Amino acid sequence: MPRPSARALEPLVLGPEGLRILDQRQLPGTEAWVLATDAAEVAAAIRAMAVRGAPAIGIAAAYGAVLAARICWAEPGPARPCWDQALAELGAARPTAVNLAWALDRMRRVADQHGLDPREALEAEARGIHAEDRAQNVAMARLGAAYLAAGSRVLTHCNTGALATGGHGTALGVVRTAWSEGRIERVYATETRPWLQGARLTAWELAREGIPVTLVVDSAAAHLIERVGISWLLVGADRIAANGDVANKVGTLGLALVARTLGARVMVVAPSSTVDMATADGAAIPIEDRGGEEIWRATGAKAPPAGIAFTNPSFDVTPARLIDVLVTERGVIEAPDRTRMAALFHTALHEAD
């Protein structure tokens, strides 16, 4: 019998006054909202992690383009240079998530087709991108959940739920659907340092919906997989290369290696907008480094200790050989490689251009 679900989260809401963003930095303690009234404020919210998750970043950027159009086409003089500059600022907000550039490219094509005053068409396109992502999440969730046997225990990393997407979620969408179908016994969520997206966001989303969740420190994952009997590692993606290599939140590579060693399977769940067929492999994916303050600040220190260098990559790359199943709304690829990726995505992506 299907289990009931909680009220759906709506972390991005476009209105006449601007874009309301549920501030993920303040969850779970406070449900506070940021109001962005122009593209610069949306870009700042993306950089500062008020909104995060590859699909959500793309949606927010599309709405940022709408806010820029409202301003640029309302002012005297040529509007397009003003709007193009705003989109350049949005595009530079975070480099790894391919959804950001994908969404802005869609908005540019609409502006090209409605040159005199594209404001109405741009808003319709942005809302369409948002609605498409929600529908894709539900489709992926059904496909991925079918791989989980009844009573499965699964491990997640970072946050791949409604907060990271247009609603429902990618990997966490699979969890939601599998739980409603009685396939999941318990979810184990890593803290996901240094921003603790798993501790603050994933655990909060799951507990909010009554899905049994246990929070673990990142370094306990190997012990957990070996002792508890994890069936699947379920993760999302910020960019997927043409050979099936996956860039995702840093720590995913280590979890995939441990899962493979200890007998758990690895499932990546991401929309086709995350697939970048122009990037040959994971080595060509740019990896964002966010600076050391995010590391030392987590210790409670007010300033970094002297004489210590820091590196803080936000992402790592998991090679395709470690992935058992790649789930997108277009279909599922088992044991992804360049040939299987091309068969599912190459023609479709060129037709979309």
Side-chain angles (χ1 to χ4, degrees), residues 1-310:
M1 180 176 178
R3 293 159 168 156
S5 59
R7 174 179 57 87
L9 282 168
E10 289 285 349
L12 295 168
V13 181
L14 180 68
E17 74 285 1
L19 178 63
R20 295 179 67 240
I21 300 168
L22 181 60
D23 191 346
Q24 298 188 32
R25 298 167 299 182
Q26 300 193 48
L27 292 172
T30 303
E31 292 190 35
W33 293 80
V34 173
L35 177 63
T37 59
D38 60 24
E41 290 177 349
V42 174
I46 292 171
R47 280 194 301 272
M49 306 276 282
V51 58
R52 43 140 301 281
I57 287 171
I59 295 163
Y63 284 140
V66 171
L67 299 181
R70 289 178 181 178
I71 295 169
C72 294
W73 268 273
E75 295 178 347
R80 189 61 188 254
C82 161
W83 190 72
D84 287 339
Q85 183 176 350
L87 262 64
E89 184 170 4
L90 286 165
R94 296 195 71 187
T96 301
V98 73
N99 304 63
L100 177 59
W102 170 85
L104 293 177
D105 284 344
R106 278 187 61 166
M107 300 301 281
R108 286 189 185 93
R109 286 198 292 269
V110 170
D112 291 341
Q113 295 162 6
H114 299 80
L116 291 177
D117 188 348
R119 283 177 286 184
E120 185 176 336
L122 287 170
E123 181 166 338
E125 185 72 6
R127 293 190 185 278
I129 288 172
H130 196 164
E132 286 170 18
D133 187 74
R134 280 194 294 261
Q136 289 168 359
N137 289 342
V138 172
M140 291 186 291
R142 292 195 187 107
L143 291 170
Y147 280 84
L148 274 61
S152 292
R153 297 172 180 175
V154 301
L155 177 66
T156 70
H157 188 55
C158 197
N159 174 259
T160 57
L163 291 169
T165 65
H168 200 63
T170 54
L172 216 59
V174 170
V175 167
R176 284 187 167 96
T177 296
W179 166 254
S180 72
E181 295 175 351
R183 296 173 181 269
I184 283 183
E185 176 186 309
R186 179 164 290 272
V187 181
Y188 293 83
T190 64
E191 288 181 301
T192 321
R193 294 178 181 271
W195 273 87
L196 300 175
Q197 296 99 321
R200 295 186 303 102
L201 306 178
T202 295
W204 176 74
E205 281 198 45
L206 294 174
R208 179 179 178 273
E209 299 186 26
I211 299 174
V213 57
T214 297
L215 184 64
V216 299
V217 298
D218 290 7
S219 53
H223 168 83
L224 193 74
I225 292 171
E226 183 179 41
R227 296 295 181 89
V228 173
I230 298 297
S231 307
W232 285 92
L233 168 66
L234 302 181
V235 297
D238 286 79
R239 186 178 300 211
I240 302 172
N243 71 335
D245 290 350
V246 170
N248 192 51
K249 180 56 56 184
V250 69
T252 303
L253 170 59
L255 291 173
L257 285 165
V258 170
R260 269 304 184 92
T261 300
L262 297 178
R265 303 183 73 195
V266 179
M267 180 186 297
V268 175
V269 188
S272 57
S273 57
T274 306
V275 175
D276 182 4
M277 295 299 287
T279 296
D281 54 36
I285 297 176
I287 300 298
E288 175 186 4
D289 193 300
R290 293 185 56 86
E293 67 277 3
E294 292 181 356
I295 302 176
W296 59 257
R297 188 174 59 201
T299 70
K302 294 183 178 179
I308 300 176
F310 295 90

Side-chain angles (χ1 to χ4, degrees), residues 243-246 260 318-324 335-337:
N243 71 335
D245 290 350
V246 170
R260 269 304 184 92
T318 300
R321 61 182 170 79
L322 297 179
I323 299 166
D324 293 284
D337 60 17

